Amino acid sequence: MVAEKAIGLLSDPILHKRFSEAALERANTEFHSDTIMSEYEAIYIQALEGKSME
Amino acid sequence: MKLKIGITCYPTVGGSGVVATELGKMLAEKGHEIHFISSSIPFRLNKMYCNIFYHQVEVNSYSVFQYPPYDLALASKMADVVKREKLDILHVHYAIPHAVCAILAKQMSGNEVKIVTTLHGTDITVLGHDPSLTNLIKFGIEQSDVVTGVSNSLVQQTHELIAPDKEIKTVYNFIDEREYHKSNSDYLKDEYGIREDEKVIIHVSNFRSVKRVKDVIQAFYLTQKKMPAKLLLVGDGPEVTTVLKLAKDLGIDDSVLFLGKQDNLAELYSISDLIFLLSEKESFGLVLLEAMACGVPCIGTNIGEFLKSSLMGRQVIFVNWEMSKWLLKKRLDF
């Protein structure tokens, strides 16, 4: 099954390009370092203010 | 608001050490004052910052101790730094021993430092099954001011195994985009003897049995029967010898390039067409995120709530682990 998926993806340049672009897009938005760092900064502030996490 | 933040992690250990160090660097760039308190200098701390300080924990092996007391030396150093530098936050990675050390340090210092604990996986998924440690992990979590986990599945597992009376917030891991981006590294193909018509599949791990690297070899074996391809194996660990023996037994050792530990992963991802991560268990799967940031499509096993909910999409194809294991055992020819 793994090999089947790999062969399907590697032998179809258009599908491969779509996957590649989607990977870049996802990594650079939801998991962008600025996004995650801001979440930690907010957590530090909330910890200092003694608020529970919501 | 500029904060003084102490960070403790295992400086040389996989994902947690990387994330802790990168977070410290980025917080410093935003103007916060960062104090790393660890047993050695974090390996990713490769640039000078005027507002990053490093406090080394020295563990002495006095004959009176049967085992070197890392945790006590760390707690003592943390208390010193909290008091002297007037830290606002101690952000520790791993519940035990680091959260417990931070709690002790807070009591010793008498300061009102807040403790933020991030759970990364092994402290819960491995140690959480040991009844002799459950209460200590629970204590570390409950006495922290804020607790985070790197995936939804890890947070859920923590509640199931440890049942702490504490809210745990999911904050995903991340990577430094300045380091992980696609670059033109085609010269590497020449250096590794990879032909123009060959596809490149990469696997990066610590080669522990949980990573199922032998399944990676089997999957590659079937793939290269249908198209010219090379497999790059990056990392090192206990399974390397058996993995390379399997490649030899299958007659594909010429197509499997074992590169060992490498620093410039982004360059290797940049010449790769696909990444395989067929682990039995992952808390986050940071290598998938690194590969994705370099535009590499991923084939991974369907191994956790996080990967199911957060990485699901066209960029990652999932394969049910049990099914892939069964199929590979049968050596089915696709």
Side-chain angles (χ1 to χ4, degrees):
Chain A
M1 189 183 244
V2 177
E4 183 187 32
K5 300 273 189 193
I7 292 160
L9 197 57
L10 292 172
S11 56
D12 184 342
I14 294 168
L15 185 66
H16 185 273
K17 189 163 181 281
R18 273 193 208 150
F19 268 74
S20 175
E21 286 168 354
L24 278 170
E25 165 77 20
R26 197 72 185 273
N28 288 321
T29 52
E30 196 178 340
F31 299 98
H32 195 279
S33 56
D34 288 345
T35 312
I36 306 299
M37 189 183 53
S38 300
E39 287 185 43
Y40 275 121
E41 274 186 305
I43 282 169
Y44 297 153
I45 301 294
Q46 282 167 314
L48 287 168
E49 291 172 353
K51 288 180 185 167
S52 66
M53 298 304 308
E54 290 302 331
Chain B
M1 187 176 182
K2 302 298 175 203
L3 301 174
K4 292 185 170 195
I5 303 162
I7 296 178
T8 291
C9 61
Y10 285 122
T12 55
V13 174
S16 66
V18 172
V19 166
T21 312
E22 296 296 342
L23 178 64
K25 281 156 64 175
M26 289 195 304
L27 288 164
E29 283 167 19
K30 280 199 81 178
H32 300 294
E33 188 177 300
I34 303 300
H35 295 263
F36 282 101
I37 309 166
S38 55
S39 55
S40 62
I41 195 153
F43 70 113
R44 297 287 279 264
L45 201 56
N46 44 12
K47 188 182 143 194
M48 273 305 296
Y49 294 83
C50 64
N51 52 346
I52 292 186
F53 302 86
Y54 166 59
H55 309 271
Q56 184 167 21
V57 180
E58 287 180 52
V59 187
N60 294 312
S61 301
Y62 296 114
S63 55
V64 68
F65 294 122
Q66 195 176 353
Y67 305 106
Y70 165 72
D71 9 38
L72 295 180
L74 173 62
S76 179
K77 177 63 87 175
M78 281 173 159
D80 282 351
V81 178
V82 165
K83 208 166 182 173
R84 192 176 62 241
E85 305 293 343
K86 297 185 175 58
L87 297 186
D88 300 301
I89 300 281
L90 263 179
H91 187 171
V92 296
H93 297 262
Y94 287 121
I96 57 170
H98 294 158
V100 177
C101 296
I103 294 157
L104 186 56
K106 181 175 182 171
Q107 290 178 353
M108 285 167 70
S109 72
N111 285 31
E112 276 306 302
V113 64
K114 300 294 180 186
I115 299 169
V116 175
T117 297
T118 293
L119 309 173
H120 285 270
T122 45
D123 48 351
I124 303 302
T125 56
V126 178
L127 305 179
H129 290 281
D130 182 344
S132 69
L133 294 174
T134 311
N135 282 338
L136 191 61
I137 299 171
K138 193 166 186 273
F139 175 80
I141 291 173
E142 289 179 346
Q143 296 300 310
S144 298
D145 292 285
V146 179
V147 181
T148 69
V150 297
S151 68
N152 294 325
S153 67
L154 179 62
V155 171
Q156 191 186 335
Q157 223 175 339
T158 307
H159 284 300
E160 284 166 11
L161 285 170
I162 313 290
D165 182 18
K166 188 83 182 174
E167 191 176 352
I168 304 172
K169 182 180 167 61
T170 300
V171 181
Y172 295 137
N173 278 341
F174 64 95
I175 43 134
D176 183 349
E177 301 78 13
R178 291 167 300 186
E179 189 173 340
Y180 288 96
H181 57 84
K182 195 166 175 61
S183 61
N184 187 354
S185 310
D186 286 349
Y187 74 97
L188 276 178
K189 284 193 174 182
D190 289 340
E191 291 185 8
Y192 287 125
I194 299 167
R195 296 194 315 266
E196 195 65 18
D197 63 325
E198 285 180 312
K199 299 292 182 188
V200 179
I201 300 174
I202 191 169
H203 169 79
V204 181
S205 78
N206 54 16
F207 286 73
R208 288 188 292 129
S209 60
V210 73
K211 302 290 179 180
R212 311 294 306 188
V213 190
K214 281 187 276 187
D215 288 357
V216 170
I217 296 287
Q218 295 279 15
F220 175 72
Y221 169 72
L222 297 174
T223 308
Q224 59 85 45
K225 283 170 87 174
K226 297 287 181 189
M227 55 176 53
K230 285 272 193 320
L231 175 66
L232 306 181
L233 294 177
V234 184
D236 206 351
E239 293 273 297
V240 167
T241 310
T242 48
V243 163
L244 295 182
K245 184 178 179 305
L246 176 62
K248 197 172 169 53
D249 291 347
L250 291 169
I252 53 170
D253 44 331
D254 284 348
S255 302
V256 176
L257 309 180
F258 176 66
L259 309 184
K261 282 188 180 171
Q262 294 286 332
D263 279 337
N264 295 323
L265 278 174
E267 286 191 68
L268 292 169
Y269 289 132
S270 294
I271 60 166
S272 300
D273 299 294
L274 191 62
I275 181 168
F276 279 163
L277 188 71
L278 306 180
S279 312
E280 204 173 316
K281 197 182 275 184
E282 286 283 347
S283 288
F284 186 85
L286 192 62
V287 296
L288 287 191
L289 186 53
E290 291 172 350
M292 282 164 60
C294 298
V296 185
C298 311
I299 290 187
T301 31
N302 200 352
I303 39 178
E305 186 56 34
F306 165 73
L307 288 169
K308 271 189 249 170
S309 64
S310 303
L311 284 177
M312 191 163 69
R314 294 185 65 81
Q315 68 273 36
V316 183
I317 299 178
F318 286 108
V319 179
N320 179 278
W321 181 72
E322 284 302 327
M323 191 175 286
S324 68
K325 191 175 142 198
W326 181 81
L327 285 170
L328 290 170
K329 256 189 191 163
K330 297 272 178 192
R331 295 263 183 95
L332 290 187
D333 190 345
F334 298 107

